Amino acid sequence: MQYTISNKMKDLEGSAIRAVLKMTQSKDLITFAAGVPAPETLPAQFIADKTEEILAKNPALALQYGVTDGYAPLVASLTARMQAMGADMENNGVMVTSGGQQVIDLTARCLLNEGDVVAVEAPTFIGGLNTFRSYNAKCIGVALEQDGIDLNALEDLCKKQKVKLLYTIPTFHNPMGVTMNETKRRALLKLADRYDFMILEDNPYGELRFAGEDVPVIKSMDTNGRVIYAGTLSKVIAPGLRVGWAAAPRPVLDKMIVAKQVVDVHTTMLSQIVADAFIHSEGYDAHIAQCRALYGKKCKRMMECIDAFFPAQATHTSPEGGLFLWCDLNDGRDTRALLEKAVASGVAYIPGYTFMTDITKPTSTLRLNYSIPSIEEIEKGIEILGGVFKA
Ligand SMILES: Cc1ncc(COP(=O)(O)O)c(C=O)c1O
């Protein structure tokens, strides 16, 4: 049977990260390839107890359809959270989504026409890239610096082409771990006004700060309704709950709600009720503090080991939060080609090409995750990787 796949999907490849994870599944490996919270932080007991309580007390609320915008108490909690971050919630609304990924999809669905230009950080999150690609948008990479996107390069792009949307992960970036400073955030909004583009601010890691000072979210500086904010509880509670949210200017949010009705009707009620209970629970602050301390300790040890064992010319970012750091071997070699050797030696990482708009170009960069491996695995794995990169 010959199947005719739609123009939207026919050229779209599955995530290269999934391919690496598949390659690592069958082997006994130290993996720096993941992008998920440490399993010991998942509040399994709370979720089990709360689920039992909800199903005993109010099964119909949890198991029937819910409204598309989301479970009202959770919408109220997330609205208050956005307000506390400084966002203008008189002119913006909140909708609960099935993870932050769905905010990216609904944004693309509501804003993009075929051929529209989406400026993305280079490198960027592959889930974002693939979403924009699936709407036949044109993704153009703009260099990401230690303090955020290169605004001069972005302005150059805006002068040459009409940019419809900028996709940014300004805080504890995936994959680079860097954070855009406040000055750049303000300048970015001015650029958005000057060249009339919308901004999708994707912030899954913002709560996971373990060093440095908080930087206000771009949404808090958005006086002209240019920013759609994507939040998620995946990295701070559990990705399996699939609870995220969009905070967006009302007219855009109203369309996103209609779009969500087309996609999956509503976000699972049971997950929303559990998530809302957890963020209001006594243990929430301690839980976040535990995640921050754990990731800070692991990140620090990973950086020390990279400094000790990687080739002298290799560099790495110094994250102040989140789950990842980014290395550059700075030697012209392609980390895609080196991955097989690393896996054969017992260590996995994500090669940098997977996060680029043009995946055919060789790059000497790689993403390393520190939330999953233990301190001992970090020490052993980085030493092995250093040996592979020095060979
Ligand atoms: C930058 C970024 N955005 C969005 C997501 C999607 O998260 P979820 O859909 O689980 O909330 C991720 C997950 O890895 C991510 O790293």
Side-chain angles (χ1 to χ4, degrees):
M1 170 78 190
Q2 199 73 7
Y3 296 100
T4 313
I5 301 298
S6 70
N7 289 343
K8 275 182 173 165
M9 291 304 296
K10 69 179 166 34
D11 297 326
L12 197 68
E13 299 282 333
S15 157
I17 295 182
R18 303 261 157 245
V20 175
L21 294 179
K22 208 167 169 196
M23 172 173 161
T24 62
Q25 244 168 20
S26 55
K27 299 194 179 74
D28 192 12
L29 286 177
I30 296 175
T31 181
F32 302 130
V36 296
E40 63 267 36
T41 67
L42 300 173
Q45 195 57 54
F46 181 95
I47 293 173
D49 294 346
K50 192 48 79 177
T51 301
E52 199 181 333
E53 182 191 318
I54 294 163
L55 292 179
K57 277 193 191 154
N58 204 344
L61 178 70
L63 299 178
Q64 291 287 16
Y65 288 111
V67 291
T68 305
D69 319 31
Y71 172 56
L74 180 60
V75 172
S77 306
L78 297 172
T79 303
R81 182 185 274 230
M82 293 306 304
Q83 219 149 15
M85 287 195 281
D88 161 19
M89 297 314 289
E90 296 223 329
N91 295 303
N92 289 275
V94 161
M95 165 174 59
V96 180
T97 56
S98 301
Q101 178 65 40
Q102 192 173 53
V103 183
I104 306 175
D105 180 75
L106 298 178
T107 300
R109 200 176 270 264
C110 292
L111 293 188
L112 299 178
N113 290 314
E114 212 166 289
D116 278 348
V117 171
V118 181
V120 299
E121 290 154 331
T124 192
F125 172 53
I126 192 161
L129 278 176
N130 272 352
T131 303
F132 304 131
R133 285 172 180 146
S134 77
Y135 288 92
N136 283 346
K138 192 171 155 198
C139 295
I140 300 186
V142 178
L144 184 58
E145 302 173 318
Q146 295 293 326
D147 59 357
I149 194 165
D150 179 343
L151 289 177
N152 292 327
L154 179 60
E155 181 155 22
D156 285 348
L157 171 64
C158 292
K159 282 178 183 161
K160 286 189 208 127
Q161 302 201 45
K162 171 70 196 151
V163 171
K164 183 78 183 279
L165 177 71
L166 169 81
Y167 171 60
T168 177
I169 308 150
T171 309
F172 317 138
H173 188 268
N174 177 10
M176 277 189 72
V178 298
T179 295
M180 191 188 298
N181 67 32
E182 185 173 343
T183 312
K184 267 198 176 176
R185 290 176 191 224
R186 294 193 186 280
L188 174 63
L189 274 170
K190 286 210 173 110
L191 216 57
D193 281 339
R194 194 172 316 141
Y195 293 96
D196 189 26
F197 57 82
M198 291 289 288
I199 296 171
L200 173 55
E201 177 181 25
D202 188 10
N203 189 22
Y205 305 102
E207 260 191 285
L208 298 175
R209 177 176 286 282
F210 47 73
E213 298 291 318
D214 276 340
V215 184
V217 294
I218 301 173
K219 186 71 195 154
S220 70
M221 307 163 185
D222 177 31
T223 46
N224 291 336
R226 293 210 169 268
V227 180
I228 296 170
Y229 179 95
T232 177
L233 299 175
S234 284
K235 311 298 166 148
V236 290
I237 305 183
L241 287 179
R242 307 307 304 133
V243 175
W245 73 98
R250 260 287 153 207
V252 180
L253 192 79
D254 287 345
K255 270 293 166 217
M256 289 171 81
I257 292 170
V258 176
K260 185 169 164 67
Q261 284 165 5
V262 174
V263 177
D264 64 355
V265 185
H266 70 94
T267 302
T268 310
M269 284 295 284
L270 182 58
S271 284
Q272 292 189 69
I273 304 169
V274 169
D276 192 49
F278 189 62
I279 59 183
H280 290 295
S281 69
E282 253 181 34
Y284 186 69
D285 288 349
H287 166 80
I288 295 295
Q290 179 211 358
C291 295
R292 288 175 173 171
L294 181 68
Y295 299 154
K297 192 168 123 193
K298 288 183 172 187
C299 178
K300 183 166 173 279
R301 192 69 194 120
M302 184 174 268
M303 291 193 292
E304 288 165 355
C305 292
I306 291 169
D307 293 340
F309 297 117
F310 273 28
Q313 74 274 24
T315 49
H316 63 81
T317 55
S318 301
E320 294 187 334
L323 306 184
F324 312 105
L325 60 77
W326 182 252
C327 292
D328 194 338
L329 301 180
N330 295 309
D331 61 3
R333 284 186 301 169
D334 189 359
T335 47
R336 178 183 344 208
L338 292 168
L339 179 63
E340 226 171 286
K341 242 194 221 168
V343 170
S345 307
V347 185
Y349 61 84
I350 305 287
Y353 83 92
T354 56
F355 306 100
M356 305 298 180
T357 47
D358 179 1
I359 62 168
T360 61
K361 271 197 197 149
T363 165
S364 58
T365 54
L366 60 145
R367 186 189 79 177
L368 295 173
N369 160 267
Y370 44 76
S371 59
I372 287 294
S374 65
I375 292 282
E376 294 70 30
E377 286 173 326
I378 288 172
E379 290 166 347
K380 191 170 161 208
I382 295 293
E383 185 171 359
I384 293 172
L385 212 46
V388 171
F389 292 153
K390 280 177 178 166

